[in-house]
Amino acid sequence: NLGSISFLAVFIVIAVDLVSDKPSVALIFAIISLILVRHIIGAIVGSIVVIRGLYNQQNQIETIFFKEYANHNLIDKKQKKFWSIYENDQHKESIKRSLSEVLNENISIKKFEWYELEQPNIVAFLLTLENNEKYLIKIFNKNLHVRALKENSLLSECSNSGLIISFIGIGMIEKYCCHFYRYDNNTRLAQQEVQAARMILLEKLAKYEVPQSIVDQYITSHKHIYGRFSQEVFDRLRLAANSEGMALLDWFEKEIENIYLPLKNLPLRLVIPAINKNTLLKDRNNDVKLLSFDNWLIEPIGFSFTFNPKEMKLLKDLLGEEQLVSAQVVQQLKAYEHNANRNSLNMAINNLAAIKELLDAE
């Protein structure tokens, strides 16, 4: 806009000068030169953008033009740069320096152990100090930088919630964000313990009230399940619906506001999408803790629960009859959203039928 306004101002100056009694030839040449310089700079900037785009696609271009790359398993340059910091133990000194800053003391690390997370673009190490204290570090690749910052905001407010192992601070390894946790007295779960631990954590999450400051921040940029309804996606369901299904869709579209209204009165709870063997730990008292708040959400209670009978019983024990129905509607809406977005249209219609059945039974 500023460029356009400047150009308009120059045009007006030229016009005024030309209609004057003594037009200035020097001014006209100067302005023409200025316009040409502007176009040249614009062309240079455009060329730089194109060259940068081609450079970022160098692997794909080499595959096309050079046969020896045709069957090569290519790794993105950003990935190569991320993994290169672990070559020849380059990371060890950076980790020691960063942890020393977080603990505000000089430390000596006697053991580095790879920690299995099974999460792309996140590297973790278990660190044992000379005094046998143990710390866990998670290092995030740059493409997860926003996710890491999002987790930071929750860790700063909820580190004492009893949901997560002791978080002690953030740091930088090279140019990559990392999180440090105190790992003492924690152990990993055996596979046969995971389901029971998940139930314990679901109950803890269902009872934990998220600080209002976090909720307020979250809702400025995120919508809850009842605010994400897409008319465009909903209309696709008519492609798969029979006459009975059409009647169901007409009913849902007509009653949607009444369906959503009670859901807004449900308590909002923290949702951790990935609860599995790699994200759960237990302390010496067998209390179950999370390893991180990665990719967290805030949704009405019920969103975290599956249709597993044990989880449904827990949900029933936590809520009164009226809220239980609303929480079950949330469950079905979550399943509907998942099915509709992946074009499982008949399954999405079945989810709406289950919602109608729940409401009719009240």
Side-chain angles (χ1 to χ4, degrees):
N1 288 338
L2 286 172
S4 299
I5 292 169
S6 301
F7 189 81
L8 178 62
V10 169
F11 176 79
I12 292 171
V13 170
I14 293 173
V16 170
D17 185 69
L18 288 174
V19 298
S20 66
D21 294 335
K22 296 180 180 180
S24 172
V25 176
L27 177 62
I28 294 172
F29 280 121
I31 292 173
I32 291 173
S33 300
L34 182 64
I35 294 170
L36 288 173
V37 168
R38 180 172 179 251
H39 280 285
I40 291 169
I41 292 173
I44 291 171
V45 171
S47 298
I48 292 172
V49 170
V50 170
I51 291 169
R52 183 180 177 185
L54 291 172
Y55 181 79
N56 289 336
Q57 299 179 71
Q58 183 178 345
N59 287 335
Q60 294 92 321
I61 293 169
E62 286 174 344
T63 303
I64 295 169
F65 286 100
F66 301 102
K67 291 182 180 179
E68 61 268 27
Y69 287 92
N71 297 315
H72 191 266
N73 186 20
L74 298 172
I75 299 176
D76 184 87
K77 281 186 170 58
K78 291 180 181 178
Q79 290 282 1
K80 288 180 181 178
K81 190 173 181 181
F82 177 61
W83 286 98
S84 69
I85 67 173
Y86 309 105
E87 296 173 359
N88 304 318
D89 293 337
Q90 295 179 42
H91 60 291
K92 291 185 177 180
E93 189 58 38
S94 296
I95 290 174
K96 176 185 173 182
R97 185 167 54 252
S98 188
L99 181 55
S100 296
E101 291 173 358
V102 170
L103 296 176
N104 197 26
E105 62 178 282
N106 291 322
I107 62 166
S108 179
I109 302 175
K110 71 176 182 181
K111 187 189 286 187
F112 286 81
E113 297 175 78
W114 174 265
Y115 196 91
E116 197 75 40
L117 281 180
E118 297 183 11
Q119 289 182 287
N121 297 300
I122 300 178
V123 167
F125 292 98
L126 186 60
L127 316 172
T128 304
L129 306 190
E130 289 292 344
N131 60 6
N132 290 321
E133 290 181 353
K134 290 187 176 182
Y135 295 89
L136 182 74
I137 179 175
K138 290 172 57 183
I139 308 170
F140 299 84
N141 200 348
K142 280 191 176 180
N143 61 338
L144 297 185
H145 187 67
V146 174
R147 251 169 67 177
L149 292 178
K150 181 183 176 185
E151 188 173 355
N152 291 351
S153 65
L154 191 64
L155 286 168
S156 63
E157 294 284 343
C158 307
S159 58
N160 297 320
S161 61
L163 297 171
I164 194 167
I165 65 171
S166 180
F167 173 71
I168 61 170
I170 63 175
M172 298 295 291
I173 305 300
E174 303 293 334
K175 297 180 180 179
Y176 302 96
C177 181
C178 66
H179 292 166
F180 288 104
Y181 301 87
R182 184 74 179 262
Y183 196 82
D184 293 339
N185 306 320
N186 290 292
T187 56
R188 307 195 73 164
L189 299 174
Q191 186 61 50
Q192 61 268 25
E193 298 177 292
V194 172
Q195 187 55 40
R198 174 184 165 80
M199 294 294 295
I200 293 170
L201 189 65
L202 275 177
E203 184 173 0
K204 290 173 75 170
L205 287 168
K207 291 179 177 179
Y208 178 67
E209 294 187 16
V210 187
Q212 191 59 44
S213 59
I214 293 293
V215 175
D216 292 341
Q217 290 176 36
Y218 184 85
I219 61 178
T220 58
S221 57
H222 296 78
K223 293 181 179 179
H224 302 310
I225 184 67
Y226 47 75
R228 296 198 296 268
F229 176 77
S230 168
Q231 186 67 45
E232 182 180 352
V233 174
F234 177 79
D235 289 340
R236 295 175 196 164
L237 271 60
R238 300 186 187 278
L239 297 172
N242 54 24
S243 57
E244 184 179 346
M246 285 292 190
L248 174 67
L249 297 181
D250 290 340
W251 167 83
F252 185 83
E253 193 168 23
K254 180 182 177 182
E255 295 294 326
I256 188 168
E257 291 300 326
N258 294 329
I259 294 170
Y260 284 173
L261 190 60
L263 309 187
K264 297 176 182 179
N265 295 322
L266 285 173
L268 296 174
R269 293 296 182 254
L270 190 62
V271 177
I272 309 299
I275 301 177
N276 53 48
K277 184 175 181 292
N278 293 309
T279 59
L280 293 172
L281 295 168
K282 62 180 179 180
D283 62 19
R284 62 173 59 175
N285 299 318
N286 287 325
D287 188 19
V288 177
K289 299 286 181 70
L290 276 166
L291 187 58
S292 72
F293 286 137
D294 186 41
N295 225 13
W296 59 275
L297 309 167
I298 294 177
E299 293 284 359
I301 192 168
F303 190 92
S304 294
F305 289 74
T306 70
F307 298 108
N308 178 289
K310 289 183 178 180
E311 293 188 25
M312 293 302 297
K313 182 180 182 303
L314 173 59
L315 188 60
K316 185 176 181 179
D317 292 341
L318 290 168
L319 299 173
E321 188 63 35
E322 185 177 343
Q323 282 197 325
L324 176 62
V325 172
S326 295
Q328 289 174 307
V329 171
V330 167
Q331 285 181 293
Q332 293 294 343
L333 282 175
K334 177 186 175 183
Y336 158 79
E337 183 179 60
H338 174 73
N339 289 324
N341 287 338
R342 66 190 183 112
N343 287 335
S344 295
L345 304 184
N346 283 321
M347 294 179 70
I349 291 171
N350 291 339
N351 295 132
L352 299 185
I355 291 174
K356 188 174 190 304
E357 187 177 336
L358 283 168
L359 298 177
D360 288 345
E362 279 189 292

